[in-house]
Amino acid sequence: MTFDLFDNLDDPDHAGRRAEPLADGAVVLRAQARDAAPRLLEAVHAILASAPWRNMITPGGLRMSVAMTNCGGAGWVSDANGYRYDSLDPLSGRPWPAMPEIFLELATQAAALAGFPDFMPDACLINRYVPGTRLSLHQDRDERDLRAPIVSVSLGLPAVFLFGGQRRADRPARVRLVHGDVVVWGGPARLTFHGVAPLADGDHPLLGRERINLTFRKAL
Ligand code: MD3
Ligand code: FE
């Protein structure tokens, strides 16, 4: 069977850009962000200057091993009161840094390739993993409109992404995500349980012993 998304992906330089369907509503766009990665990382560094990495506390009182920050009109925050989107960074009391143009361009283009031409994110959660960091199985359901997809961009060290089902108990599939891979999750895949296995050690040419993941969301 031919896969129509394939025809939408330009790969004139044979960089490995291709669409891999993961599940109904979920597709990996391999290497889609590879060329933009240096510019994306420059933008991340500018964001960190006003909204530095922090390890948030879950409502259960545990400190997350993933370090996070945000940009855009709303940012995802967790504290003793629960999870929510907030227009202000609780560390500074100021609005989160604006969404960089290069972020918007990449996220809207990837969403359009995956069949979501109207996607307009208002939040980008930025996650940082170091060797040993993991993210346990969860659903993303704090966004108001669950019809909008989530676009994720992997940068730096490779990760094993755990892709479960609609129930927490469903045994997750393992998908390796490397630098430059973009994943779009929408429709029937939007509420699947997912997580990240403990990051293996390594040395990435651009990021050293680090993985950074951008997730673009329509939160409000
Ligand atoms: C599947 N981040 O920030 S991105 C998260 O690699 C999160 O940092 C992981 O899960 C990371 O919430 C995974 C891929 C991802 C993001 C959102 C999803 C997969 C998803 C929402 C629904 C289903
Ligand atoms: Fe998630």
Side-chain angles (χ1 to χ4, degrees):
M1 187 190 104
T2 54
F3 183 58
D4 6 303
L5 275 172
F6 188 92
D7 305 327
N8 292 331
L9 290 177
D10 287 339
D11 193 15
D13 50 353
H14 305 284
R17 282 189 290 278
R18 65 208 147 84
E20 277 177 28
L22 267 189
D24 199 10
V27 64
V28 188
L29 305 173
R30 294 288 183 194
Q32 186 70 14
R34 209 153 67 187
D35 294 349
R39 282 169 287 158
L40 295 171
L41 289 170
E42 212 179 309
V44 169
H45 288 125
I47 290 163
L48 291 171
S50 25
W53 298 122
R54 77 287 309 268
N55 295 89
M56 298 188 198
I57 307 284
T58 64
L62 299 174
R63 187 170 290 275
M64 298 181 73
S65 71
V66 181
M68 298 176 166
T69 187
N70 291 276
C71 66
W76 186 84
V77 297
S78 176
D79 60 23
N81 299 315
Y83 312 121
R84 65 186 177 280
Y85 282 94
D86 202 311
S87 61
L88 303 179
D89 176 354
L91 266 189
S92 65
R94 295 189 310 255
W96 296 100
M99 182 96 67
E101 201 55 54
I102 179 83
F103 277 29
L104 264 186
E105 193 182 308
L106 185 85
T108 55
Q109 184 190 315
L113 284 170
F116 298 93
D118 303 323
F119 181 56
M120 189 48 68
D122 53 19
C124 177
L125 172 61
I126 308 174
N127 292 335
R128 182 190 62 173
Y129 299 75
V130 295
T133 303
R134 60 192 290 273
L135 185 64
S136 53
L137 278 189
H138 66 278
Q139 290 173 299
D140 288 23
R141 52 186 318 155
D142 301 318
E143 301 73 27
R144 191 164 298 161
D145 181 3
L146 295 175
R147 289 171 306 184
I150 290 184
V151 175
S152 108
V153 178
S154 290
L155 299 168
L157 288 181
V160 174
F161 178 71
L162 306 171
F163 184 62
Q166 305 302 310
R167 286 169 306 195
R168 189 181 294 277
D170 294 341
R171 175 193 276 277
R174 298 165 73 88
V175 181
R176 193 163 183 270
L177 295 178
V178 306
H179 181 73
D181 287 347
V182 177
V183 193
V184 182
W185 320 83
R190 180 63 180 75
L191 286 177
T192 51
F193 279 89
H194 60 278
V196 179
L199 198 76
D201 202 357
D203 185 13
H204 188 272
L206 292 184
L207 273 162
R209 302 179 73 192
E210 218 178 335
R211 170 178 187 260
I212 292 179
N213 182 266
L214 315 175
T215 48
F216 295 94
R217 299 132 186 280
K218 179 171 155 52
L220 306 179

